[in-house]
Amino acid sequence: MQLLGIGSRINHSEFGKGVVTNITSKQYWVTFMENGLETIDLDAAFEVIEAAENEVDTISLFDVESSLVQILKKWSDVSEIVPIGDKWKGGKLILQPEDTNLKPKEIKVEDFFHKITMVRDRLRVMEQKVNSSNLEAQEKTDLQQYITRIYGSLTTFNVLFKSKEQQFVGQKSK
């Protein structure tokens, strides 16, 4: 997807002709002749009348935000938004003791899922810190294998994830 520069002219089916006046990571801010300032998604359908290129070597706010997000994901424990599977929304987890005289513990599935994703995110940070540490190669390998086994122990909770790409992955069989 080619990003339009500020000053690009477009024709939008709903808003008419306008000029791009700002760009964010997700939207163009466009001043339309008849409708004033509107925001439209970067991938929205519109006709490009004239694409403006930046005349100097600059980067867009989109590029800065994208880079910052990638850096934060890689080096911090900032959590990404991980959606829970639709069938679990509004559900509850009930921990029932064998002794029926004891009160069961109820937890919202969303709260439990949030805790699980926090564990996963912190494991990822630990993995990054191990990989970038000054440990000997064998020590790094041992710790990486241990972390992989932890992921494997958590695969039971994969059923809660909406997206398969965000699930826990343990050691693969050979």
Side-chain angles (χ1 to χ4, degrees):
M1 168 178 72
Q2 176 195 355
L3 284 177
L4 297 175
I6 293 174
S8 296
R9 296 183 318 140
I10 68 167
N11 187 14
H12 190 273
S13 60
E14 182 180 346
F15 303 118
K17 293 181 180 178
V19 176
V20 175
T21 55
N22 195 7
I23 304 168
T24 68
S25 62
K26 295 181 179 160
Q27 297 176 320
Y28 290 116
W29 292 27
V30 182
T31 303
F32 291 98
M33 294 172 66
E34 296 179 16
N35 292 293
L37 182 64
E38 296 286 343
T39 56
I40 59 173
D41 292 339
L42 294 178
D43 59 355
F46 54 82
E47 173 192 357
V48 177
I49 298 171
E50 180 182 348
E53 298 292 328
N54 289 332
E55 295 177 6
V56 292
D57 189 19
T58 60
I59 59 172
S60 70
L61 181 58
F62 175 83
D63 294 329
V64 172
E65 287 182 11
S66 296
S67 297
L68 184 58
V69 165
Q70 288 174 351
I71 291 167
L72 288 173
K73 280 183 178 178
K74 183 173 183 179
W75 296 107
S76 77
D77 63 353
V78 171
S79 300
E80 64 180 310
I81 296 173
V82 180
I84 190 169
D86 293 336
K87 70 180 179 180
W88 303 109
K89 290 179 183 174
K92 60 185 169 185
L93 179 65
I94 302 170
L95 301 172
Q96 178 69 54
E98 182 179 6
D99 184 348
T100 55
N101 294 322
L102 297 174
K103 184 178 175 184
K105 171 75 174 170
E106 289 188 11
I107 305 168
K108 291 181 187 175
V109 174
E110 285 99 336
D111 292 345
F112 181 74
F113 180 70
H114 177 69
K115 301 273 187 199
I116 293 293
T117 58
M118 286 186 344
V119 168
R120 185 198 62 172
D121 291 343
R122 291 189 175 126
L123 275 171
R124 287 179 176 173
V125 171
M126 184 169 34
E127 193 170 22
Q128 288 292 333
K129 290 184 186 259
V130 165
N131 291 338
S132 64
S133 73
N134 294 329
L135 293 170
E136 297 293 324
Q138 185 58 50
E139 292 174 309
K140 281 186 183 183
T141 302
D142 292 345
L143 287 171
Q144 289 166 344
Q145 288 176 350
Y146 193 69
I147 290 170
T148 300
R149 288 192 297 271
I150 293 170
Y151 282 131
S153 298
L154 295 168
T155 57
T156 299
F157 303 114
N158 283 348
V159 68
L160 297 171
F161 288 83
K162 184 172 189 172
S163 173
K164 189 172 179 81
E165 296 84 42
Q166 295 174 319
Q167 293 180 346
F168 292 103
V169 178
Q171 199 166 10
K172 305 278 188 198
S173 4
K174 295 177 183 176

